[in-house]
Amino acid sequence: MLDSKNAIIGLAIADAMGVPLEFCFREKLQENLTTEMKGYGSHPVPKGSWSDDTSMTLCLIDAINKTGNIVPKDIADNFVKWIENAEFTPTGETFDVGRTCLRAILNYEKNIATPEECGEDSEYSNGNGSLMRISPMIYYCYSKNMDDSEVYKYVKMVSSITHKHEVSILGCYIYVLFGIELLKGKDFIKAYEVIKNKSYEMFSTESKERYARILENDISKYEMNDIKSSGYIVDTLEATFWSLMTTQSYNKAVIKAINLGEDTDTVGACVGALAGIYYGIESINENWKNDLIKYDYIEELCNKFNERINGGIYDNK
């Protein structure tokens, strides 16, 4: 049975670990590594608060729970509820909203475009705002036994609600393919080899070249100083794979990711979801789990999602 809590709780905890460190310089963090949940750092929110990364992920899960299918309108409607009513938040407050995501959601709210056409496709709109929320698609696509072309179709559909540029879609596609290989039982190295050998023929050469350090080289062999942790989707994906493949546990991967600095919550979240799939929820630091705000709420959404992806049968023992 598939259990999405591994990824989604893993994502939420890593997101919350990274929230108070966002925008911090790497040099400062490396002098005194953060290894415990904190609050009131970069944002005025208490310990255990997750950000837009988790909120938008929960929006996607809740939308799938509604019908069992990917319905862009349901996803976009949830994004509006999150922005306007602070639903899917830890403290009843919406904070740290990405500009590209916000503009896309406003486009939808004002009926400027259909959900799939709301996302921006500018070269300058390739932040990590769709990557950070794409992890439920790993479970959805795997549960449907989709081939690569079907995975691409649905990942593109979900990403395009906020991020429609090909570079963003490719980053999300690589991430989901990698996660699917983990669900199949492969370790990080073997899963990485699989995604490197995909054709990506539906993408332009220019877009594929952006990911050359991942797809043509070996990102795990780079030094920390070669890894950027900015909000640019390519940087985030590189930092994600690097953190996973240079550590041996969920806890160490997350600590490594958030202490890279800059976009700490999103790099952490992307690492946390994949590390959660591989190592399992039971491997996560118990103090971190206890500190996470609304743990039970996230767990409940995941259990409903599990029923969907397991064909209506899920044993939560």
Side-chain angles (χ1 to χ4, degrees):
M1 292 289 184
L2 296 172
D3 188 354
S4 64
K5 291 194 297 294
N6 290 320
I8 308 308
I9 294 292
L11 178 148
I13 287 174
D15 177 10
M17 290 282 289
V19 163
L21 308 181
E22 191 174 17
F23 315 122
C24 289
F25 291 112
R26 180 178 301 178
E27 293 75 18
K28 181 179 179 181
L29 293 173
Q30 291 298 314
E31 291 174 359
N32 185 21
L33 296 180
T34 294
T35 60
E36 296 298 334
M37 200 81 78
K38 296 181 179 179
Y40 302 103
S42 302
H43 301 280
V45 292
K47 179 171 67 172
S49 298
W50 23 276
S51 72
D52 54 339
D53 303 62
T54 301
S55 291
M56 297 188 81
T57 300
L58 299 181
C59 287
L60 173 56
I61 288 176
D62 182 76
I64 297 172
N65 287 348
K66 184 177 178 180
T67 64
N69 297 308
I70 301 299
V71 181
K73 183 181 184 302
D74 291 342
I75 301 168
D77 284 343
N78 278 353
F79 290 165
V80 172
K81 293 175 184 177
W82 164 61
I83 290 290
E84 298 294 341
N85 304 324
E87 295 187 32
F88 307 101
T89 64
T91 60
E93 176 186 5
T94 302
F95 72 98
D96 194 29
V97 181
R99 287 174 293 179
T100 301
C101 288
L102 180 59
R103 286 193 294 264
I105 294 166
L106 291 176
N107 284 341
Y108 173 73
E109 198 172 8
K110 295 175 181 177
N111 294 315
I112 293 175
T114 62
E116 300 100 310
E117 294 296 323
C118 282
E120 298 189 352
D121 58 4
S122 163
E123 172 64 36
Y124 300 100
S125 300
N126 282 315
N128 51 26
S130 61
L131 179 68
M132 70 188 191
R133 59 177 170 82
I134 204 71
S135 58
M137 296 303 296
I138 297 170
Y139 289 92
Y140 183 82
C141 294
Y142 180 78
S143 72
K144 302 288 186 181
N145 195 30
M146 292 183 183
D147 61 26
D148 289 354
S149 64
E150 292 175 302
V151 173
Y152 166 71
K153 171 186 173 182
Y154 283 98
V155 167
K156 179 181 180 181
M157 188 186 302
V158 172
S159 175
S160 294
I161 298 172
T162 57
H163 292 68
K164 201 167 58 175
H165 193 280
E166 189 178 61
V167 169
S168 290
I169 295 167
L170 176 53
C172 290
Y173 181 59
I174 293 169
Y175 185 91
V176 170
L177 290 178
F178 185 87
I180 288 172
E181 294 305 316
L182 297 182
L183 287 181
K184 290 178 180 178
K186 293 183 176 65
D187 61 24
F188 295 135
I189 302 303
K190 291 180 181 177
Y192 184 45
E193 287 302 316
V194 170
I195 66 165
K196 287 174 68 176
N197 288 319
K198 299 285 186 178
S199 70
Y200 304 102
E201 60 186 2
M202 63 285 287
F203 296 95
S204 68
T205 299
E206 181 182 3
S207 292
K208 287 185 284 188
E209 286 176 349
R210 303 289 184 90
Y211 293 94
R213 298 211 310 174
I214 292 174
L215 297 177
E216 297 178 16
N217 299 330
D218 185 345
I219 197 66
S220 70
K221 302 301 183 185
Y222 286 80
E223 299 295 327
M224 181 186 294
N225 289 339
D226 298 320
I227 300 296
K228 297 179 181 179
S229 48
S230 77
Y232 176 42
I233 187 171
V234 177
D235 290 346
T236 299
L237 195 62
E238 288 185 353
T240 295
F241 289 151
W242 182 82
S243 297
L244 289 169
M245 291 190 287
T246 56
T247 52
Q248 289 76 45
S249 71
Y250 172 94
N251 301 327
K252 290 180 179 178
V254 169
I255 288 171
K256 194 161 197 175
I258 65 171
N259 285 286
L260 289 174
E262 294 190 71
D263 202 1
T264 51
D265 57 333
T266 301
V267 175
C270 292
V271 168
L274 295 177
I277 291 174
Y278 185 68
Y279 294 111
I281 195 172
E282 66 281 352
S283 71
I284 300 176
N285 184 310
E286 287 297 326
N287 290 332
W288 299 355
K289 287 191 276 192
N290 292 334
D291 287 336
L292 186 68
I293 294 175
K294 288 189 177 179
Y295 184 106
D296 292 343
Y297 163 70
I298 298 174
E299 186 176 47
E300 181 181 356
L301 282 176
C302 287
N303 285 336
K304 292 178 181 178
F305 185 47
N306 289 342
E307 292 180 3
R308 289 297 192 185
I309 60 179
N310 286 300
I313 302 172
Y314 179 70
D315 186 349
N316 189 35
K317 292 181 181 177

